[in-house]
Amino acid sequence: MNSTDTVLNEIENDITEPQLNIILTTDEDDFRPVYISGNFNEWRTQDKEYRMEKIGEGLYHFKFPYDFDYPNELLYKFTKGDWSEVEIDKYGNRTENRSCKQNSGVRKEHVAKWRKNWLPFKPDFLPQVKLISEEFEIPQLNKTRKIWALLPHDYDLSSESYPVLYLQDAQNLFNEKAEFGNWEIDKKLAVMAEYKIGKIIVIAIEHAEKDRIKEYNVGKTVLGSGQGKQYIRFVTDTLKPFVDANFRTKPQREFTGIGGSSMGGLVSIFSGLMYPEVYGKLMIFSPSLWVVPKMNINNDFDDEDQDTKIYLYAGGDESATMIEHVKQFKKKMLNSEFASDKMKIKLSINSEGKHTESYWSDEFPKAIEWLFFNTKDN
């Protein structure tokens, strides 16, 4: 008998309470805590009340509360704190929900492997990547630009319409040859499709190479005079109507988002401020608020336009001022007349996060799920 079996026997002998006890063993163990998520807690993945106690290497225990209201059938999964870190089988496949009708005694469970950063992915679920144009005209700037559409994997087999997210810096979103890595949004969308979290169209707009900063810079800042307002008008007045006319989209503001990282995040903030009647979702990663832009927060729109959701992310190892700037931005937004009881801002901070694509990649599916498919307030 090995040491794990010995500990298991000791636990079973010590259990005298009438509550249900779950004993979990796992072949892969690390520093991340293990949670139980199920139909009893709205499938929340970091519910402290359902965090398992680590009692040995690869060995966890949870005892349901004495007054727990058991459903007729208990459905649950184990996670390491997020759906990006959920249990998978030994081959890397998703597992179905676990089921239990006990309300007392001991139930033994086992997890072979855990996802890390939403991977691995299934190629069959990869989005269809369509090149809209090599030279899409930008009349507001007298330029052209390469633009892509990432469509749900089964787009051609469906008549469904989808929400849309416009993303900046397409060169770094799914390009395997990107110099500094990429967000791997194609792979993340594949996992989300496999888990039936939700389907979305992503419109990826390449940046202007050497003119990137000028094009994403709005107004006059420490970087000089920018072309950001013209660029935002292009996305809003030219590109969006084209996309809505040529793809099966849900064009309303509650289904339309815009986002990006760094300067791409900054121009996305201004897109939401300039056109609150168009963009109801903002995905803002590590925005370059240090350029000291002047933000005129628009409050001249109808109350029905105020159900805006902003997912705001920053890393603690990006710069000396990044965390301070995003916290100040959140406070300014919530204190402005732009905000209302309907506005929600989710601030996600990774204390070890750096200003790189790999960290934005990890945050991308979490932001998508919260912005477009999570109807709860958490």
Coordinates of all heavy atoms in Angstrom, one line a residue, residues 26 77 92 222 262 329:
T26 N -4.9 13.5 -8.1 CA -4.5 14.0 -9.4 C -3.1 13.6 -9.8 O -2.2 13.6 -8.9 CB -4.7 15.5 -9.5 OG1 -4.3 16.0 -10.8 CG2 -3.9 16.3 -8.5
K77 N -17.4 20.1 -11.8 CA -16.1 19.9 -12.4 C -15.1 20.5 -11.4 O -15.4 21.3 -10.5 CB -16.0 20.7 -13.7 CG -16.4 19.9 -15.0 CD -15.9 20.6 -16.2 CE -16.1 19.8 -17.5 NZ -17.6 19.7 -17.9
G92 N -5.8 15.0 -23.1 CA -6.0 16.4 -23.4 C -7.4 16.8 -23.8 O -7.7 17.9 -24.2
V222 N 1.8 63.7 -25.2 CA 3.3 63.8 -25.1 C 4.0 63.2 -26.3 O 5.2 63.4 -26.6 CB 3.8 63.1 -23.8 CG1 3.3 63.8 -22.6 CG2 3.4 61.6 -23.8
S262 N -1.9 48.1 -25.1 CA -1.0 49.2 -25.2 C -1.6 50.4 -25.9 O -2.7 50.8 -25.5 CB 0.3 48.7 -25.9 OG 1.4 49.6 -25.7
F329 N -8.0 55.4 -13.9 CA -8.9 55.4 -15.0 C -10.2 54.8 -14.7 O -11.3 55.3 -15.0 CB -8.3 54.6 -16.2 CG -9.3 54.4 -17.3 CD1 -9.7 55.4 -18.2 CD2 -9.8 53.1 -17.6 CE1 -10.6 55.2 -19.2 CE2 -10.7 52.9 -18.6 CZ -11.1 54.0 -19.4

